[in-house]
């Protein structure tokens, strides 16, 4: 374990403190959801946007994945169904390029095709399995806490080859979403350890790093893209390989 080392079975000394367990966000932390979304989006939308150049496709993907998340927030608040928010995000991205997705058969067909294709592109990041191997070798329990429902995320983990992440908390598990403390603490309960000895790692600075820290865990921001955040004073890594090294 390089500079950290195992002090006893199930206990690790890290630069973040002594830990006995690790919880992860799923989307864009363990699983490259952005790749799955943008790849499927392009496949189901090319007939609507013929001749679009690569820069425009990248813009199309950013609108769907990053600039329309307020629709997902409305889903979490119970104002929209999961499919409603997905369709609204698609309409916003297409609308930016002057394409209106008509109600009825056209919208249903687009949504059905995207829903069918997206899971086929789900994959784990390259730094995930090596870290899980390290945690298994050290006897450190781990799990995931996600701002989506349990069964949907269970299927996503399994399709990404992450069946070994067996402990999973979704928004329907305790009836709240991040950053409510209860959802992180349910993950801690499943691990059977104390919050102060649990790392929580995720790509969202507010929901993952700051939210889990406020709940008493050791929050880590996984900043894979090097997003600048000069006012952030918490723990930060750019790869999961840095957690235990």
């Amino acid at each position: 374990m390089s500079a950290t080392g195992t002090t006893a079975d199930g206990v690790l000394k890290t630069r973040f403190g002594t830990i006995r367990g690790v919880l992860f966000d799923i989307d864009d932390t363990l699983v490259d959801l952005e790749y799955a979304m943008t790849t499927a989006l392009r496949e189901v939308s090319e007939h609507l946007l013929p001749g679009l150049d690569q820069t425009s496709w990248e813009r199309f993907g950013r609108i769907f994945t990053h600039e329309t998340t307020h629709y997902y927030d409305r889903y979490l608040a119970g104002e929209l169904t999961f499919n409603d928010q997905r369709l609204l995000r698609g309409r916003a991205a297409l609308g930016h390029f002057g394409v209106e997705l008509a109600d009825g058969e056209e919208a249903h067909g687009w949504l059905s095709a995207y829903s069918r294709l997206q899971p086929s592109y789900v994959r784990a990041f390259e730094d995930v399995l090596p870290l899980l191997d390290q945690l298994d070798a050290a006897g450190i329990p781990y799990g995931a806490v996600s701002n989506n429902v349990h069964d949907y995320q269970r299927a996503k983990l399994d399709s990404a080859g992450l069946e070994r992440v067996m402990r999973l908390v979704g928004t329907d598990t305790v009836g709240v979403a991040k950053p409510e403390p209860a959802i992180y603490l349910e993950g801690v309960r499943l691990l059977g350890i104390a919050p102060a000895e649990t790392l929580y790692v995720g790509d969202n600075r507010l929901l993952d790093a700051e939210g889990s820290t406020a709940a008493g865990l050791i929050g880590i921001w996984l900043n894979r893209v090097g997003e600048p955040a000069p006012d952030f004073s918490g723990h930060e890594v750019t790869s999961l390989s840095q957690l235990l090294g």
Side-chain angles (χ1 to χ4, degrees):
M1 290 282 170
S2 67
T4 58
T6 306
T7 58
D9 189 41
V11 182
L12 281 175
K13 295 289 187 181
T14 77
R15 60 191 172 103
F16 310 111
T18 300
I19 65 164
R20 296 176 184 269
V22 182
L23 292 169
F24 299 96
D25 171 56
I26 295 175
D27 295 331
D28 293 318
T29 297
L30 297 178
V31 169
D32 192 349
L33 181 63
E34 184 167 347
Y35 168 81
M37 292 169 72
T38 55
T39 305
L41 275 172
R42 180 165 182 170
E43 189 164 336
V44 301
S45 304
E46 281 183 315
H47 69 289
L48 299 171
L49 297 167
L52 209 62
D53 61 27
Q54 182 60 32
T55 299
S56 296
W57 278 118
E58 291 171 0
R59 173 66 177 147
F60 180 78
R62 282 196 301 273
I63 293 171
F64 187 89
T65 57
H66 295 293
E67 297 178 20
T68 54
T69 54
H70 57 283
Y71 289 126
Y72 193 82
D73 292 339
R74 290 179 61 191
Y75 156 67
L76 291 175
E79 299 173 9
L80 297 171
T81 69
F82 185 73
N83 280 338
D84 284 343
Q85 64 85 26
R86 182 175 270 177
L87 182 57
L88 285 168
R89 295 170 79 173
R91 278 187 162 141
L94 289 165
H96 180 81
F97 295 94
V99 175
E100 182 178 351
L101 198 60
D103 289 329
E105 186 174 338
E106 185 179 32
H108 177 74
W110 183 93
L111 182 60
S112 296
Y114 176 79
S115 299
R116 182 181 68 255
L117 283 171
Q118 192 245 62
S120 69
Y121 292 114
V122 168
R123 62 187 186 184
F125 287 101
E126 292 183 357
D127 55 5
V128 174
L129 292 181
L131 174 61
L132 298 186
D133 287 342
Q134 286 184 294
L135 294 176
D136 285 336
I140 300 293
Y142 51 83
V145 175
S146 173
N147 262 9
N148 207 328
V149 295
H150 177 281
D151 290 354
Y152 183 81
Q153 295 298 74
R154 178 73 269 162
K156 184 183 293 177
L157 286 171
D158 293 350
S159 66
L162 298 176
E163 299 91 342
R164 65 204 283 189
V165 183
M166 293 181 287
R167 302 169 184 87
L168 171 60
V169 179
T171 52
D172 54 338
T173 305
V174 290
V176 297
K178 297 182 286 188
E180 289 294 326
I183 194 168
Y184 311 102
L185 295 177
E186 176 61 12
V188 172
R189 187 190 71 79
L190 292 179
L191 297 183
I193 55 177
E197 295 179 313
T198 305
L199 290 184
Y200 186 88
V201 188
D203 70 296
N204 187 300
R205 177 171 53 86
L206 296 175
L207 297 182
D208 296 325
E210 295 180 4
S212 63
T213 298
L217 290 71
I218 305 170
I220 312 290
W221 181 25
L222 177 60
N223 186 9
R224 291 188 182 276
V225 299
E227 175 189 342
D231 296 330
F232 179 66
S233 59
H235 301 303
E236 178 181 349
V237 296
T238 58
S239 168
L240 294 178
S241 63
Q242 298 171 356
L243 283 179
L244 305 182

